[in-house]
Amino acid sequence: MTDTSSTRPGEPAGGPVPPASPPPPTAAPQHAQAHAPAWPGPGGPVPPPRSLARRLLAPVATLAGVAAAFAYVGTVDPNEPGHYPVCPLLRFTGIYCPGCGGLRSAHAFVHGDLPAALGANAIAVVGYGLFAVLMAVWLIRAIRGVPMRLAASPVLWWGVGAVLALFTLVRNLPFGSALAP
Protein backbone atom coordinates (compact mmCIF):
# COMPACT_ATOMS: atom_id res chain seq x y z
CA MET A 1 0.00 0.00 0.00
CA THR A 2 1.28 3.45 -0.87
CA ASP A 3 0.95 6.53 1.24
CA THR A 4 -0.79 9.27 -0.77
CA SER A 5 -1.64 11.52 2.13
CA SER A 6 1.19 13.96 1.33
CA THR A 7 0.09 14.58 -2.24
CA ARG A 8 -2.77 16.73 -3.33
CA PRO A 9 -5.18 15.82 -6.02
CA GLY A 10 -3.65 16.62 -9.42
CA GLU A 11 -0.02 16.60 -8.15
CA PRO A 12 2.46 13.93 -9.05
CA ALA A 13 3.36 11.50 -6.34
CA GLY A 14 6.81 13.07 -5.77
CA GLY A 15 5.45 16.36 -4.35
CA PRO A 16 4.96 19.81 -5.77
CA VAL A 17 6.83 20.65 -8.95
CA PRO A 18 8.85 23.85 -8.79
CA PRO A 19 7.72 26.47 -11.30
CA ALA A 20 9.68 26.51 -14.53
CA SER A 21 12.15 29.41 -14.89
CA PRO A 22 11.38 31.83 -17.70
CA PRO A 23 13.36 31.30 -20.89
CA PRO A 24 16.39 33.55 -21.34
CA PRO A 25 15.68 36.65 -23.44
CA THR A 26 16.84 36.28 -27.00
CA ALA A 27 16.43 39.88 -28.11
CA ALA A 28 15.34 43.16 -26.61
CA PRO A 29 11.83 44.28 -27.41
CA GLN A 30 11.52 46.67 -30.32
CA HIS A 31 10.59 49.63 -28.13
CA ALA A 32 13.80 49.12 -26.10
CA GLN A 33 15.90 48.93 -29.27
CA ALA A 34 14.55 52.28 -30.44
CA HIS A 35 15.91 54.00 -27.32
CA ALA A 36 19.23 52.16 -27.14
CA PRO A 37 22.37 54.32 -27.48
CA ALA A 38 23.79 54.45 -30.99
CA TRP A 39 27.33 53.72 -29.78
CA PRO A 40 27.20 51.65 -26.63
CA GLY A 41 30.94 51.87 -26.01
CA PRO A 42 33.95 49.70 -26.68
CA GLY A 43 33.13 46.92 -29.06
CA GLY A 44 29.98 48.63 -30.27
CA PRO A 45 29.32 50.05 -33.70
CA VAL A 46 31.72 52.75 -34.87
CA PRO A 47 30.13 56.11 -35.68
CA PRO A 48 30.30 57.18 -39.30
CA PRO A 49 33.19 59.54 -40.08
CA ARG A 50 32.35 63.23 -40.14
CA SER A 51 33.08 65.30 -43.21
CA LEU A 52 36.13 67.55 -43.34
CA ALA A 53 33.97 70.68 -43.24
CA ARG A 54 32.19 69.44 -40.12
CA ARG A 55 35.49 68.55 -38.41
CA LEU A 56 36.95 71.99 -39.18
CA LEU A 57 33.89 73.92 -37.99
CA ALA A 58 34.86 74.29 -34.31
CA PRO A 59 38.56 75.18 -34.74
CA VAL A 60 37.91 77.57 -37.63
CA ALA A 61 35.04 79.26 -35.76
CA THR A 62 37.26 79.65 -32.68
CA LEU A 63 40.07 81.06 -34.77
CA ALA A 64 37.66 83.47 -36.50
CA GLY A 65 36.33 84.70 -33.16
CA VAL A 66 39.82 85.33 -31.78
CA ALA A 67 40.90 87.00 -35.02
CA ALA A 68 37.84 89.27 -34.85
CA ALA A 69 38.66 90.22 -31.25
CA PHE A 70 42.28 90.98 -32.18
CA ALA A 71 41.11 92.99 -35.20
CA TYR A 72 38.82 95.05 -32.97
CA VAL A 73 41.57 95.69 -30.41
CA GLY A 74 43.95 96.51 -33.25
CA THR A 75 41.48 99.07 -34.62
CA VAL A 76 40.28 100.64 -31.36
CA ASP A 77 43.37 101.82 -29.49
CA PRO A 78 43.28 100.95 -25.77
CA ASN A 79 45.82 103.72 -25.10
CA GLU A 80 43.07 106.30 -25.73
CA PRO A 81 40.83 106.64 -22.68
CA GLY A 82 37.13 105.90 -22.86
CA HIS A 83 37.13 102.88 -25.18
CA TYR A 84 37.60 100.09 -22.62
CA PRO A 85 36.73 99.75 -18.92
CA VAL A 86 39.44 100.20 -16.31
CA CYS A 87 40.70 97.14 -14.41
CA PRO A 88 38.75 97.16 -11.12
CA LEU A 89 41.69 95.79 -9.11
CA LEU A 90 43.98 98.54 -10.38
CA ARG A 91 41.33 101.21 -9.89
CA PHE A 92 40.46 100.32 -6.29
CA THR A 93 43.81 99.01 -4.97
CA GLY A 94 46.51 100.29 -7.32
CA ILE A 95 47.75 96.70 -7.82
CA TYR A 96 48.39 95.39 -11.33
CA CYS A 97 46.62 92.08 -11.94
CA PRO A 98 48.08 89.48 -14.35
CA GLY A 99 45.79 90.83 -17.10
CA CYS A 100 46.61 94.52 -16.69
CA GLY A 101 48.08 95.79 -19.94
CA GLY A 102 46.66 92.86 -21.90
CA LEU A 103 44.67 95.05 -24.30
CA ARG A 104 47.65 97.34 -24.92
CA SER A 105 49.76 94.21 -25.45
CA ALA A 106 47.25 92.84 -27.98
CA HIS A 107 47.11 96.21 -29.77
CA ALA A 108 50.90 96.36 -30.06
CA PHE A 109 51.04 92.69 -31.11
CA VAL A 110 48.51 93.27 -33.91
CA HIS A 111 50.59 96.19 -35.14
CA GLY A 112 53.77 94.07 -35.09
CA ASP A 113 55.44 95.92 -32.20
CA LEU A 114 56.68 92.95 -30.19
CA PRO A 115 58.84 94.97 -27.72
CA ALA A 116 55.83 97.17 -26.84
CA ALA A 117 53.63 94.08 -26.54
CA LEU A 118 56.11 92.43 -24.17
CA GLY A 119 56.40 95.67 -22.19
CA ALA A 120 52.64 95.98 -21.77
CA ASN A 121 52.07 92.37 -20.63
CA ALA A 122 54.74 89.72 -21.20
CA ILE A 123 52.61 86.85 -19.94
CA ALA A 124 49.89 87.74 -22.47
CA VAL A 125 52.42 87.48 -25.32
CA VAL A 126 53.40 84.03 -24.05
CA GLY A 127 49.67 83.20 -24.05
CA TYR A 128 49.38 84.32 -27.68
CA GLY A 129 52.16 81.91 -28.61
CA LEU A 130 50.61 79.03 -26.67
CA PHE A 131 47.26 79.75 -28.30
CA ALA A 132 48.85 79.69 -31.77
CA VAL A 133 50.46 76.30 -31.07
CA LEU A 134 47.20 74.92 -29.67
CA MET A 135 45.26 76.14 -32.71
CA ALA A 136 47.79 74.59 -35.11
CA VAL A 137 47.55 71.23 -33.30
CA TRP A 138 43.74 71.43 -33.25
CA LEU A 139 43.54 72.21 -36.97
CA ILE A 140 45.97 69.42 -37.92
CA ARG A 141 44.10 66.91 -35.77
CA ALA A 142 40.77 68.03 -37.25
CA ILE A 143 42.09 67.58 -40.79
CA ARG A 144 43.34 64.09 -39.92
CA GLY A 145 40.04 63.18 -38.22
CA VAL A 146 41.58 62.71 -34.77
CA PRO A 147 39.51 64.23 -31.94
CA MET A 148 41.09 66.95 -29.83
CA ARG A 149 41.00 66.25 -26.13
CA LEU A 150 42.78 68.34 -23.54
CA ALA A 151 43.20 66.83 -20.14
CA ALA A 152 45.14 69.04 -17.76
CA SER A 153 46.14 67.62 -14.43
CA PRO A 154 45.61 69.59 -11.23
CA VAL A 155 49.39 69.95 -10.98
CA LEU A 156 49.41 71.85 -14.27
CA TRP A 157 46.64 74.18 -13.10
CA TRP A 158 48.44 74.80 -9.81
CA GLY A 159 51.61 75.53 -11.78
CA VAL A 160 49.82 78.02 -14.03
CA GLY A 161 48.30 79.68 -10.96
CA ALA A 162 51.71 79.87 -9.29
CA VAL A 163 53.28 81.47 -12.40
CA LEU A 164 50.47 84.04 -12.60
CA ALA A 165 50.75 84.80 -8.87
CA LEU A 166 54.53 85.19 -9.13
CA PHE A 167 54.15 87.41 -12.22
CA THR A 168 51.61 89.56 -10.35
CA LEU A 169 53.84 89.83 -7.30
CA VAL A 170 57.00 90.71 -9.24
CA ARG A 171 55.32 93.30 -11.49
CA ASN A 172 54.02 95.14 -8.42
CA LEU A 173 57.40 95.33 -6.64
CA PRO A 174 59.95 98.06 -7.33
CA PHE A 175 62.52 95.71 -8.91
CA GLY A 176 59.88 94.30 -11.27
CA SER A 177 58.73 97.63 -12.64
CA ALA A 178 59.85 96.53 -16.13
CA LEU A 179 56.91 94.06 -16.09
CA ALA A 180 54.38 96.75 -15.16
CA PRO A 181 52.29 98.09 -18.03
Side-chain angles (χ1 to χ4, degrees):
M1 187 159 131
T2 62
D3 183 20
T4 59
S5 61
S6 64
T7 62
R8 295 184 188 153
E11 278 187 2
V17 176
S21 61
T26 54
Q30 275 189 336
H31 65 82
Q33 289 177 355
H35 299 291
W39 301 283
V46 178
R50 298 186 325 175
S51 69
L52 179 62
R54 175 110 178 172
R55 291 191 314 257
L56 288 175
L57 181 64
V60 169
T62 302
L63 192 57
V66 171
F70 267 87
Y72 180 79
V73 172
T75 304
V76 181
D77 190 359
N79 295 307
E80 295 176 13
H83 293 292
Y84 300 99
V86 178
C87 172
L89 185 67
L90 180 62
R91 181 175 184 183
F92 294 120
T93 66
I95 297 173
Y96 295 116
C97 76
C100 281
L103 288 173
R104 289 187 294 276
S105 173
H107 181 77
F109 190 80
V110 167
H111 290 281
D113 191 358
L114 192 58
L118 285 167
N121 192 326
I123 206 111
V125 176
V126 171
Y128 307 152
L130 289 174
F131 178 78
V133 169
L134 180 67
M135 283 306 304
V137 169
W138 193 7
L139 284 167
I140 290 169
R141 290 177 70 101
I143 290 169
R144 291 182 178 171
V146 179
M148 181 73 168
R149 290 190 177 89
L150 294 177
S153 69
V155 172
L156 176 68
W157 288 116
W158 280 104
V160 168
V163 167
L164 290 175
L166 185 63
F167 177 71
T168 303
L169 178 68
V170 170
R171 78 188 313 204
N172 284 291
L173 294 174
F175 65 85
S177 61
L179 295 175

